[in-house]
């Protein structure tokens, strides 16, 4: 059945692939990019290809991924056991065979350069620690998605990794100090008004300053206290 990609309404989803088996058929540059992102996500990656890139060979030697040094054929266990399947060969016919088998097994499969025939698509991604921003044009223009990704990388620099780690610590502290759920939510909103990003960008997130911040929060975990802490932070930026 022919699918019109213009009619597809994609459902955005962040998947936990830690410890999940994923199969990539193909050993070139596209397959390498897929493998890199899957390894970063903690997936158990198996590549099926008679030959693969130098980088993937290095990952095999390091024990980071498994390599089946064969061409694709129907009935391979790596495909049958995979949570996600990536068809990334340079042959349309082979990719189509992979897609048909994977779909018959109830697998989600993505096909390189064939968005409409894929069960899912992989977006362009900006990762800053806990912050994960995904961009997709639904296959209309990967170049535009890449351009937007580059703009986001400039806007959301490496400081956001420290920022979100700090907010997570503060959130846990507030949860331990403030029992009232409504008040706690207002406290969280006031915390977002603090210019912690400015502090981090100036290199001020030192151990002593961080300890003082946590001491102030612990001493006055109230709405008025959060406002005063915000003013204190602002005063240190000038």
């Amino acid at each position: 059945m022919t699918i019109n990609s213009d009619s597809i309404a994609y459902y955005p989803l962040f998947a936990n692939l830690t410890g999940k088996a994923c199969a990539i058929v193909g050993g070139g540059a596209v397959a390498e990019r897929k493998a890199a992102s899957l390894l970063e996500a903690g997936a158990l990656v198996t590549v099926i290809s008679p030959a693969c890139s130098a980088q993937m060979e290095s990952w095999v030697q390091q024990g980071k991924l498994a390599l089946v040094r064969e061409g694709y054929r129907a009935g391979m266990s790596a495909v049958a056991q995979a949570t996600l399947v990536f068809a990334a060969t340079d042959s349309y016919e082979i990719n189509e065979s992979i897609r048909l088998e994977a779909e018959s097994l109830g697998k989600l499969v993505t096909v390189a350069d064939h968005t409409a025939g894929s069960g899912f698509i992989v977006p362009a991604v900006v990762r800053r620690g806990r912050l994960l921003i995904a961009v997709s044009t639904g296959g209309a223009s990967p170049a535009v998605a890449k351009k937007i990704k580059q703009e986001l990388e400039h806007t959301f620099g490496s400081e956001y990794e420290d920022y979100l780690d700090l907010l997570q610590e503060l959130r846990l502290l507030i949860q331990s100090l403030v029992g009232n759920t409504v008040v706690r939510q207002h406290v969280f909103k006031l915390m977002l008004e603090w210019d912690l990003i400015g502090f981090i960008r100036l290199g001020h997130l030192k151990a002593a300053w961080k300890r003082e911040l946590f001491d102030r929060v612990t001493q006055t975990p109230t709405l008025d206290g959060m406002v005063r802490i915000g003013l204190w932070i602002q005063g240190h930026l000038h």
Side-chain angles (χ1 to χ4, degrees):
M1 180 178 67
T2 301
I3 302 173
N4 181 357
S5 60
D6 292 338
S7 65
I8 299 175
Y10 290 98
Y11 180 77
L13 175 70
F14 290 109
N16 178 8
L17 294 180
T18 303
K20 300 293 193 303
C22 293
I24 303 171
V25 186
V30 173
E32 181 183 312
R33 290 197 300 271
K34 305 300 184 187
S37 60
L38 288 170
L39 290 173
E40 189 174 18
L44 301 178
V45 181
T46 298
V47 174
I48 301 170
S49 181
C52 61
S53 70
Q55 178 61 71
M56 285 198 285
E57 287 284 4
S58 176
W59 287 332
V60 173
Q61 295 302 316
Q62 296 172 44
K64 292 184 177 181
L65 59 76
L67 175 61
V68 179
R69 297 182 187 275
E70 302 176 21
Y72 166 78
R73 67 178 187 281
M76 301 184 84
S77 60
V79 173
Q81 296 168 5
T83 299
L84 298 178
V85 178
F86 297 76
T89 77
D90 57 5
S91 167
Y92 173 83
E93 290 75 16
I94 294 175
N95 285 346
E96 184 67 4
S97 297
I98 298 165
R99 180 184 71 82
L100 291 173
E101 181 189 12
E103 289 183 347
S104 73
L105 294 171
K107 309 292 183 181
L108 279 176
V109 57
T110 185
V111 183
D113 298 324
H114 187 31
T115 301
S118 299
F120 69 98
I121 56 177
V122 180
V125 170
V126 176
R127 189 185 295 272
R128 297 288 185 260
R130 298 172 187 271
L131 178 63
L132 187 62
I133 306 172
V135 180
S136 173
T137 59
S141 177
V144 170
K146 182 178 180 180
K147 181 176 182 295
I148 293 172
K149 173 187 173 180
Q150 291 171 341
E151 292 171 353
L152 289 170
E153 285 176 333
H154 178 73
T155 301
F156 297 93
S158 59
E159 67 273 12
Y160 274 83
E161 181 171 354
D162 292 331
Y163 175 56
L164 287 174
D165 285 344
L166 180 59
L167 281 183
Q168 172 73 358
E169 292 181 63
L170 287 167
R171 183 180 180 85
L172 293 174
L173 177 60
I174 292 297
Q175 286 176 338
S176 70
L177 295 172
V178 182
N180 187 296
T181 303
V182 175
V183 174
R184 189 189 306 157
Q185 292 304 315
H186 283 298
V187 168
F188 290 152
K189 289 179 181 179
L190 286 171
M191 280 169 45
L192 294 180
E193 296 179 9
W194 298 348
D195 192 2
L196 295 173
I197 286 289
F199 242 92
I200 294 169
R201 283 174 174 161
L202 291 173
H204 290 341
L205 191 59
K206 308 298 183 183
W209 180 86
K210 182 178 177 181
R211 185 164 55 251
E212 184 174 355
L213 171 62
F214 276 68
D215 286 345
R216 286 174 177 267
V217 171
T218 301
Q219 292 165 12
T220 56
T222 63
L223 299 183
D224 286 343
M226 296 302 106
V227 172
R228 288 197 296 272
I229 292 172
L231 294 173
W232 171 75
I233 291 172
Q234 195 63 34
H236 278 66
L237 292 174
H238 300 289

